Amino acid sequence: MKVKITKLALFLGVIGLTGCNEFLDTTPTDRISDEVVWENEANVTLYVNAFYPYIDRYGNFGTSQFSGNLTEGLTETMKYGSYVPGSKAGDANMYVFTPETMSPTGNLLNTWGNTYERIRRVNEFLVGLQKYSKLDEEKNKLFEGQARFFRAFLYFQLAKRHGGVILYTDMNLQKDKNRSSADETWNLIEDDLDYAASVLPKEWPAANKGRVTKGAVLAFKSRAMLYAQRWQSAKDAADAVFALDLYALTDDYDDAWKGGNSESILEYNYLVTGPNHTFDKDYAPFGEIENQGGSGTPTQEMVELYERADGTSVDWNAWHQEGGTTTRPPYEELEPRFHATVIYNGSVWKGKIMENCVDGTNGKYMGYREDTYAKGRTTTGYYLRKHMNENHTDLVTYRSTQTWVEIRLAEVYLNRAEANFRLGNSGQALNDLNAVRIRPGVGLPVKTGLSGDALFNAIRHERKIELSYEGHLYWDMRRWKLAHINYNNYRVHGMKISKSAGGYLYEYADCDLQDRKFLQKTYVLPVPYSELANNSAIEQYDEWK
């Protein structure tokens, strides 16, 4: 199959497309009325290509997870600087301070309507493929495998929010239909992924680089089955990824989430000419773009999670004292993943020494609620480095093109670690945990002798550090049913930094000014009102009756 450049110029890869100058054409062909479509392999290729942008939609650079906000803003690891509603403004603060605003008529975490529309398109493709395709059986299987992966990917987005949802697998659309059970929903997801893994290749020919592979399907299954609490299925899927012997952890953690390397298993790439995104402009430090940036910033709670480079813990009490201290925090002593994730006072970013302080030039501190919008300032004394492009200097003229890595090998290690823990295989779980800790470019000492709660807490900690700001933590805390315990009656903090004689004054700062809350009923998100109004058979979830 020849993959040609078109006006949409979608470029995505599973491992990386170095040296490949051809791109997936995403011009939509989403109708099955014309049987001629199915006589031409090129047309069917265009049709299935239209599903690949779904990877972007649900990623950190898309809008379908939390209306354009990072879900980390709903955890202790990120603080959005604005208190007025709006994407990348005060939406996250509204949800952590007043979660009661979430309802069937208004829910920023809702993706019901758009996801079902995308599922309908996939089903339409599958029905057309079955009825009309004149292609040979091998080609039909490759197309069906890709489509069924995307159907599973879309149903996963619904299942992790709601549990059991309405299941459609054909075009016999029933207007009034109730939702299926959670088990039935996860069965469909698992069945689709199993089929896709059975027919998709380990690697595609060069002309088709960028398509979903067997490894991508299996890696995604290792994630999905943790949500389903199907521990053996999660472990088996992860085992199968490693058995392919195609992937390896990168030598530098700073490259791990950048795509086009040995660690990336499923990714979505962008172009200056489009598709592209605005992540750099949204999260840029003060001084890079006028009145923009700094939307959300890492918290002191996140910073204090990092170990020293030798694996020992830091006692931060000296920096919590009232009135502050002129002693510099031990930033330089922290492990490499801190330096790759956080821009801190005194670090170098784009060739400049950062001043994340009151009246700073490169970076500037602003107390929460001192202004309606952050406008490039930080309410925590830190900026996000991860996912940012240090070589992108003209944020006014050019949009961002950083790759979104949906799945990478470190996650598969940690998925298997958790599955092994649940299955009682503590030794194997510890091996996977340590594989991530000793990974090239990190070099932390191994953990030994852990079991039970201590081992689970170590896995949680490692996921929070290794996969930071990759969209996992909030959903992990929900599936672990720990959010109502850890995310109630707490506040996040930062470091207010002021210039003083010969250095800086560091003051532990309350960045919320009120307690955060998590309502237990929001473990299950409601059926939206639009569905209730148009489907007489649908039953609202018990939590929302």
Side-chain angles (χ1 to χ4, degrees):
M1 279 186 280
K2 182 77 170 176
V3 182
K4 298 181 180 179
I5 299 175
T6 69
K7 61 184 179 181
L8 290 183
L10 170 66
F11 179 97
L12 39 84
V14 173
I15 304 177
L17 312 185
T18 304
C20 180
N21 294 316
E22 297 175 310
F23 302 90
L24 295 186
D25 180 341
T26 58
T27 304
T29 305
D30 61 353
R31 295 293 180 270
I32 61 172
S33 58
D34 190 351
E35 295 183 25
V36 175
V37 169
W38 301 98
E39 297 176 355
N40 186 314
E41 181 181 347
N43 287 344
V44 182
T45 299
L46 291 178
Y47 199 158
V48 79
N49 286 355
F51 305 144
Y52 278 82
Y54 298 161
I55 300 170
D56 158 70
R57 302 296 185 270
Y58 297 92
N60 274 14
F61 306 146
T63 60
S64 291
Q65 282 298 331
F66 182 27
S67 301
N69 308 287
L70 299 183
T71 53
E72 281 80 5
L74 303 174
T75 77
E76 80 279 23
T77 65
M78 172 170 273
K79 173 66 181 179
Y80 276 89
S82 176
Y83 62 87
V84 296
S87 179
K88 306 180 191 74
D91 285 345
N93 291 322
M94 178 177 68
Y95 267 44
V96 296
F97 296 143
T98 56
E100 299 85 359
T101 58
M102 189 186 302
S103 72
T105 57
N107 176 9
L108 297 176
L109 289 163
N110 172 52
T111 189
W112 186 283
N114 288 336
T115 302
Y116 271 113
E117 172 61 22
R118 292 161 185 159
I119 289 170
R120 182 195 65 76
R121 293 172 183 169
V122 174
N123 284 337
E124 193 174 44
F125 174 90
L126 289 168
V127 169
L129 185 72
Q130 182 180 22
K131 284 186 176 182
Y132 305 122
S133 178
K134 301 299 191 295
L135 307 179
D136 62 50
E137 182 179 0
E138 181 181 356
K139 288 186 174 66
N140 284 340
K141 286 182 177 179
L142 291 175
F143 284 122
E144 182 180 356
Q146 291 173 79
R148 288 183 66 174
F149 167 80
F150 282 108
R151 185 168 68 182
F153 179 82
L154 292 166
Y155 269 117
F156 170 78
Q157 308 302 330
L158 294 171
K160 77 177 186 178
R161 288 166 166 80
H162 305 280
V165 296
I166 306 171
L167 300 181
Y168 298 104
T169 56
D170 53 38
M171 292 306 293
N172 296 319
L173 301 179
Q174 182 180 335
K175 178 182 178 182
D176 298 319
K177 187 176 184 180
N178 200 2
R179 50 189 172 80
S180 297
S181 68
D183 272 348
E184 290 167 331
T185 301
W186 290 115
N187 285 344
L188 174 60
I189 293 170
E190 186 167 16
D191 289 346
D192 276 350
L193 293 175
D194 285 344
Y195 178 82
S198 73
V199 299
L200 292 178
K202 291 172 57 175
E203 296 180 283
W204 288 85
N208 281 287
K209 284 286 187 179
R211 299 194 180 280
V212 176
T213 61
K214 182 187 297 290
V217 176
L218 292 167
F220 186 80
K221 183 181 177 183
S222 78
R223 176 195 297 175
M225 292 301 99
L226 290 185
Y227 283 77
Q229 298 185 11
R230 299 181 178 185
W231 316 122
Q232 190 64 51
S233 291
K235 177 186 181 301
D236 291 346
D239 285 343
V241 172
F242 290 106
L244 295 173
D245 197 25
L246 290 174
Y247 314 106
L249 298 175
T250 59
D251 290 336
D252 187 344
Y253 175 76
D254 192 38
D255 293 329
W257 63 87
K258 292 182 179 178
N261 55 44
S262 64
E263 185 161 344
S264 179
I265 301 176
L266 179 64
E267 65 182 46
Y268 185 95
N269 286 255
Y270 303 85
L271 296 170
V272 171
T273 54
N276 45 43
H277 56 88
T278 62
F279 198 84
D280 288 300
K281 183 164 63 176
D282 296 330
Y283 295 91
F286 181 84
E288 290 193 23
I289 182 167
E290 188 175 0
N291 290 326
Q292 295 186 63
S295 296
T297 54
T299 62
Q300 186 65 27
E301 280 75 10
M302 182 65 196
V303 171
E304 293 183 12
L305 288 170
Y306 288 96
E307 302 165 48
R308 285 191 176 90
D310 63 4
T312 58
S313 298
V314 176
D315 182 354
W316 287 91
N317 286 327
W319 290 274
H320 291 186
Q321 62 183 322
E322 188 175 352
T325 177
T326 56
T327 302
R328 178 172 170 78
Y331 297 136
E332 286 73 22
E333 299 175 21
L334 299 180
E335 59 141 304
R337 291 179 294 187
F338 166 75
H339 298 281
T341 303
V342 179
I343 298 172
Y344 55 92
N345 192 57
S347 63
V348 177
W349 174 250
K350 295 187 177 180
K352 302 174 181 177
I353 297 176
M354 298 303 295
E355 299 175 299
N356 302 346
C357 60
V358 177
D359 298 326
T361 301
N362 304 320
K364 180 177 287 190
Y365 180 85
M366 177 193 78
Y368 181 57
R369 286 191 170 271
E370 288 182 3
D371 199 351
T372 51
Y373 295 99
K375 301 176 185 176
R377 294 163 292 186
T378 169
T379 57
T380 64
Y382 305 100
Y383 289 99
L384 187 63
R385 188 179 194 120
K386 194 172 188 178
H387 300 309
M388 302 286 284
N389 181 3
E390 194 166 3
N391 296 317
H392 186 181
T393 56
D394 186 351
L395 304 184
V396 176
T397 307
Y398 301 104
R399 289 165 66 94
S400 300
T401 59
Q402 292 95 294
T403 298
W404 169 244
V405 177
E406 177 64 31
I407 308 172
R408 59 186 181 91
L409 191 63
E411 182 198 340
V412 181
Y413 271 113
L414 293 172
N415 291 346
R416 189 169 69 174
E418 182 176 344
N420 272 317
F421 166 75
R422 301 291 186 180
L423 293 167
N425 305 326
S426 296
Q428 295 175 42
L430 201 53
N431 288 340
D432 284 330
L433 176 73
N434 285 326
V436 173
R437 289 178 59 80
I438 66 172
R439 60 172 296 149
V442 174
L444 288 171
V446 298
K447 297 279 189 179
T448 59
L450 299 180
S451 61
D453 288 345
L455 176 56
F456 179 53
N457 288 337
I459 293 170
R460 286 178 52 202
H461 174 87
E462 210 60 42
R463 287 184 70 89
K464 193 180 295 188
I465 296 294
E466 175 70 30
L467 306 178
S468 61
Y469 306 107
E470 296 182 38
H472 295 284
L473 178 58
Y474 175 69
W475 303 106
D476 282 346
M477 293 295 285
R478 288 170 57 90
R479 67 183 177 84
W480 291 328
K481 295 297 185 290
L482 291 174
H484 73 285
I485 299 171
N486 290 22
Y487 292 163
N488 258 319
N489 301 316
Y490 79 105
R491 302 182 184 190
V492 302
H493 299 81
M495 198 64 75
K496 179 181 178 181
I497 306 171
S498 307
K499 294 179 180 178
S500 64
Y504 294 94
L505 175 68
Y506 297 86
E507 298 178 87
Y508 190 61
D510 179 352
C511 296
D512 279 341
L513 308 181
Q514 66 183 99
D515 288 348
R516 297 185 174 203
K517 294 188 291 184
F518 183 94
L519 302 180
Q520 281 190 260
K521 75 174 187 176
T522 62
Y523 278 129
V524 176
L525 300 184
V527 175
Y529 176 77
S530 57
E531 183 71 42
L532 297 171
N534 293 287
N535 182 351
S536 62
I538 190 70
E539 183 179 355
Q540 182 60 274
Y541 296 100
D542 290 343
E543 291 86 347
W544 293 90
K545 289 180 179 177

